[in-house]
Each structure stands twice: as structure tokens, then as C-alpha cells.
Amino acid sequence: MVANQRDTIAAIATAPGRGGVGIVRLSGPQARPLGEALCGRQLTPRHAHYCDFCAGDGELLDQGIAIYFAQPHSFTGEEVVELQGHGGPVILDQLLAELLKAGARQARPGEFSERAFLNDKLDLTQAEAIADLIDASSQAATRSALRSLQGAFSAAVEQLLVQMTRLRVFVEASIDFPEEEIDFLADSALHSQLQALIAALQSTLAGAREGALLRDGIKVVLAGRPNAGKSSLLNQLAGRDSAIVTEQAGTTRDLLKEQLVLDGLPVEIVDTAGLRDSDDLVEREGIRRARAEIAQADLCLLLVDDPECHQSGAAPNLAALLTDLLGDSALLDRTVVALNKADLYGGAVGQLEADYPLFALSAATGSGVPALVAHIQKAAGYRATESGGYSARRRHIDALERALALVSDGYRHLQATAAGELLAEDLRIAQQALGEITGQVSSDQLLGEIFSSFCIGK
Ligand SMILES: Nc1nc2c(ncn2[C@@H]2O[C@H](COP(=O)(O)OP(=O)(O)O)[C@@H](O)[C@H]2O)c(=O)[nH]1
Ligand SMILES: [Mg+2]
């Protein structure tokens, strides 16, 4: 990886397609001479130079702005030149081709960010936050990515590492110097520090989970008998006629997926074919697909069309309902039941008394739907707070979970045995797990995986 850094890399940094301006980026030791050759003039650091971009044989390729950033004062920490030309795909391709001909190498996806990381311009969570910021699908996700980019997540992890180091010093000293008169391990300060560390790990983990939720969202599958109103509810949630709704049972035969943002929470809603026995080949395939989606759902929203339940406000037997519809009741803890068509049958709307989540609503008019949406958000663990979490990824959550489990185990060992050896070892491994998050401890393979998911030119 270090050898690679001697290469000068080039890529188109703007999105494919046509735009007012398009940017080609160069980074590496040859960036300046390559840029100067193309511009036919010397480049002063941090100046916008308006110039002709010409090929080696003198042919005019484009006119635009060139900006040179001298190392280490650039995004990557290397010599960088940015060429801002006209945003046509052919123009930008020609500029890039010219630079490659002159000795630059096409950058791999994420290679600019990787170099920024290797040159200590960013830590890993910040580099990942850039990718998340670009991919953000909601304002809340943007906010949490920006928080991470500014270093809020790294700072929280850093703080955990400081707490951990302090504890390790304490515990290891007490093992190395057992003859000391004071018994370090019985010291109440040690116990309160351990408790504080566990609480801090839990709170950082909660912030990371919230961020991951904003990034990845959840999957909600609509299920029920034909004509229960699944497609109507999808349309109501989407705020538009996405699915075909008719009074004819069996209208929806294939899966229909909609990406929605419900008050900041990204949700993939899947409308499915109504569950019933059918001889129709297409409908049967639709039902098979519906079951497969239901099995993978974070939340299964079961729609029921039953006038009696509305009038009595009674809860259907959930286990019996699931067994009837799906052949088993495995989904008990992931199911929400919605009694639909409240406008038709009367009775209260909103959440009803039951030993599982139960709502009465009208998919047609939308009454009772906000209470259901609020429940979906709560069930997903989402709080629409301004502060938000950190834009976190699965690997961050894994590392935090491992660290938390280790420290908790270590604390239990200490309480059980009053000896520090196991605690010391647990703390050591927990510290490594946290180090993986910001990249203090990381293998080349891990880095490769992380940066290859970025887009080219970033
Ligand atoms: N009055 C009333 N009719 C509804 C409601 N929801 C759905 N329907 C009607 O029930 C029928 C079946 O709806 P649809 O959404 O296609 O059901 P699906 O088969 O579960 O997708 C259509 O005629 C809808 O207009 C509701 O809340 N109130
Ligand atoms: Mg339907």
C-alpha cells in the first residue's frame, strides 16, 4: 500500500452524466507537473487559474479552472491538482485519458480517501462518514454523517480508549505489585470506574445503532388476506398511488417495493400478494415470494379486515392469526396488527389494548396511520432527535458490542474472584476492538474492504 502511494492517481470526481462543471482530480508526486503540462503554465498553490487544457500534441481539449494544493495541505495530504472543466462525459474522459497517457494511474474506488487516511488527514470513521454523507438518503442521515465527519464519533471512541487505558494501568499495576499494602482491586474507585466505562460504552453503542439505522433503514412487509387493504396502506404511507388498488381480490400478484422516509427514518415497504390458497400459477408464485419477504422483514405489518374486532375493540388472537396465514407463529415478536377500514366499520382509531401491538386505522382516509408510523419508529429504536447518532456501520457496532461484552465479563470476573488477571486480559482485547473503529489497529485487508465500497474519485 505504501509503494502504491508513490503513484500519481487520477479520476473524474463528479457524478457521471452531464453537468455545468465536471472535475478531474489528480493526487500524488507527479500531480503538479502533470497538471502544469495540461494547463501550459505554472500553478501557484491555492490559486484558481483560468486556462486552456491542452493535450500533449497541442490540441485544445477544454477551458477551465485549475487549482493546485501543495502537500500536505490537501484532501489526501499529497500534491493535488483539481481541474474544473465543462461537465460533459466526453470532455472529462478526454482530460482523464490525457493524464493517464502522461503517466498518471486511474484511481481505484475510494483511493483518494484511503490516501487521506494513510496520511493522517482523516481517521477511518471520518473517511467512512464521507461515503455515508454522499449516500445519505435523508436529512437526518446527512446530519449524523456530518457529525461523524467532524469527528464526534472518533472523539467518543477516543474518550472510551482513554478511560480504558486508565483502568488497564490501574489493574495491571495491582497484578505486578501484589505486595503493595493497599488492595487496588478492592478499591471502590476501580469499581465505579468500571461501571462508568460500561455506561459510556452502552451510550456510544446506542448512538452508533441509531446512526446505522439512519443509514440502512428497516424493512417493513405488508401482509394479510387479499383485499385487507395492503396496497391501500402502501399508497397512504407513500402519499401517492404506487400500487394498484381494486375491489378485486388477488390484484397484487408480485412484490412491490417502495423506499420511503418516515419522519427521517428510511423504510423499505414491501407490498405483497394476499395470502390465500390459489390455483392460479402466477398468484401462487406471488404468495411464495410474499412469504419469503415476510421471513426477512424487520417488521411484519399484518392487515386484518374484520368488522367485529372494530366494533368490540377486541384483539384477534395473534398466534392463531399467524398460524392461519403463514402456517406458523414464528413471527410473533416482529408483528404489528392493523385492523383496517375503520371508516367503514366505526370504532376507535389508534393503538388498541392488546398484549401485542394492535392498531385500528383506515388505509383509505389515513386516520389512525400516524400512530402506526410512530410505533414503527419506536419499534426500530429510532428517535427523531435533532442531535442524532453517529453515522455508524455494522463493523463499528460489532466492535462496540465486543468491547462492551468483554468489559462486562471482566467486571464479573473481578467481582467473582477478586483477582485482576482475567479483567486485565479482557480490557486489553476490548481496547483492540475499539482501536479497529478509528483505524489505530487495522489490517490491510480491513482497509481494502472499507475503501473499495467508496465511489471512484472520492
Ligand atoms: N372503506 C375502505 N375501503 C378500503 C380501505 N382500505 C382498502 N379499501 C378497499 O378495499 C379493497 C382492497 O384494497 P387493496 O388495497 O387493493 O387490498 P389488498 O388486496 O390487501 O392490497 C379496495 O376496494 C379498497 O378501496 C379502507 O381503509 N376503507
Ligand atoms: Mg394489493
Side-chain angles (χ1 to χ4, degrees):
M1 205 170 299
V2 175
N4 270 347
Q5 273 190 283
R6 296 200 196 105
D7 293 354
T8 297
I9 53 172
I12 299 171
T14 38
R18 295 187 304 175
V21 178
I23 298 179
V24 176
R25 237 183 189 177
L26 269 168
S27 180
Q30 293 302 308
R32 185 181 191 176
L34 288 176
E36 289 183 339
L38 195 86
C39 297
R41 57 163 297 161
Q42 286 204 331
L43 299 173
T44 320
R46 296 174 183 232
H47 273 71
H49 302 279
Y50 179 64
C51 43
D52 290 345
F53 301 148
C54 293
D57 59 8
E59 188 199 343
L60 179 66
L61 300 172
D62 194 9
Q63 288 181 315
I65 307 274
I67 306 177
Y68 160 54
F69 302 90
Q71 71 173 10
H73 307 294
S74 69
F75 173 68
T76 57
E78 302 177 328
E79 297 275 282
V80 166
V81 172
E82 281 190 14
L83 302 167
Q84 309 184 352
H86 293 96
V90 179
I91 299 172
L92 294 176
D93 274 345
Q94 280 184 330
L95 286 178
L96 179 61
E98 191 54 36
L99 293 169
L100 299 183
K101 205 157 54 173
R105 169 170 70 70
Q106 166 75 52
R108 294 189 308 269
E111 199 170 0
F112 290 92
S113 302
E114 185 178 44
R115 289 186 173 196
F117 166 72
L118 293 171
N119 292 321
D120 286 332
K121 283 281 168 177
L122 300 167
D123 70 26
L124 267 189
T125 61
Q126 288 174 313
E128 287 167 323
I130 293 176
D132 291 344
L133 190 60
I134 293 171
D135 290 340
S137 61
S138 70
Q139 286 184 5
T142 309
R143 273 200 302 273
S144 74
L146 273 172
R147 271 169 54 75
S148 287
L149 181 56
Q150 287 170 338
F153 186 42
S154 321
V157 174
E158 218 48 66
Q159 182 57 37
L160 290 170
L161 283 167
V162 169
Q163 275 175 273
M164 236 175 231
T165 310
R166 209 183 300 141
L167 268 169
R168 286 189 63 195
V169 170
F170 207 64
V171 173
E172 292 190 10
S174 71
I175 296 170
D176 293 345
F177 306 104
E179 68 280 4
E180 285 291 314
E181 285 186 8
I182 318 152
D183 186 356
F184 280 119
L185 296 173
D187 192 337
S188 68
L190 174 62
H191 289 252
S192 58
Q193 275 188 38
L194 267 167
Q195 284 159 1
L197 175 61
I198 290 172
L201 276 165
Q202 283 166 335
S203 132
T204 309
L205 186 57
R209 286 208 177 110
E210 195 173 332
L213 201 60
L214 289 177
R215 197 178 109 86
D216 304 332
I218 59 163
K219 180 179 186 137
V220 176
V221 178
L222 299 168
R225 291 264 174 243
N227 264 352
K230 300 176 292 299
S231 299
S232 303
L233 185 59
L234 171 76
N235 292 345
Q236 184 62 242
L237 290 169
R240 62 190 183 88
D241 284 344
S242 168
I244 302 171
V245 170
T246 73
E247 59 278 5
Q248 201 178 319
T251 303
T252 310
R253 307 200 325 168
D254 203 349
L255 302 173
L256 183 70
K257 301 184 177 181
E258 273 277 342
Q259 296 290 342
L260 306 178
V261 178
L262 300 178
D263 284 343
L265 174 69
V267 178
E268 180 184 49
I269 303 253
V270 187
D271 186 19
T272 63
L275 301 166
R276 66 169 172 184
D277 293 328
S278 169
D279 293 331
D280 182 303
L281 216 60
V282 179
E283 190 177 353
R284 266 172 41 191
E285 173 59 18
I287 292 171
R288 191 194 66 74
R289 292 182 185 190
R291 291 182 195 279
E293 284 295 318
I294 292 166
Q296 295 171 16
D298 293 305
L299 212 67
C300 171
L301 193 53
L302 205 58
L303 264 85
V304 175
D305 177 355
D306 182 341
E308 275 177 28
C309 284
H310 278 287
Q311 269 138 31
S312 59
N317 180 325
L318 182 56
L321 206 62
L322 285 171
T323 311
D324 177 32
L325 283 170
L326 297 166
D328 67 57
S329 57
L331 284 167
L332 273 177
D333 53 344
R334 283 187 284 145
T335 303
V336 174
V337 176
L339 304 173
N340 190 26
K341 311 195 185 181
D343 60 308
L344 210 58
Y345 306 136
V349 295
Q351 184 152 18
L352 304 181
E353 237 350 86
D355 51 10
Y356 59 88
L358 176 68
F359 292 80
L361 53 82
S362 165
T365 68
S367 77
V369 173
L372 175 68
V373 169
H375 173 82
I376 292 173
Q377 294 184 326
K378 207 169 118 221
Y382 173 70
R383 296 163 295 155
T385 48
E386 269 301 306
S387 68
Y390 317 106
S391 77
R393 302 179 161 216
R394 189 64 242 173
R395 71 170 197 93
H396 302 150
I397 293 176
D398 283 345
L400 283 165
E401 281 172 346
R402 265 185 287 139
L404 178 60
L406 283 159
V407 177
S408 307
D409 274 355
Y411 187 31
R412 260 196 301 280
H413 288 141
L414 176 71
Q415 286 171 313
T417 62
E421 281 78 4
L422 289 173
L423 173 62
E425 181 63 3
D426 284 336
L427 286 175
R428 190 183 65 77
I429 307 174
Q431 196 169 24
Q432 268 179 0
L434 286 190
E436 284 172 22
I437 296 181
T438 52
Q440 289 167 352
V441 185
S442 53
S443 66
D444 280 2
Q445 188 196 352
L446 175 68
L447 293 184
E449 263 171 44
I450 291 169
F451 287 107
S452 62
S453 68
F454 285 32
C455 47
I456 293 184
K458 194 59 243 176

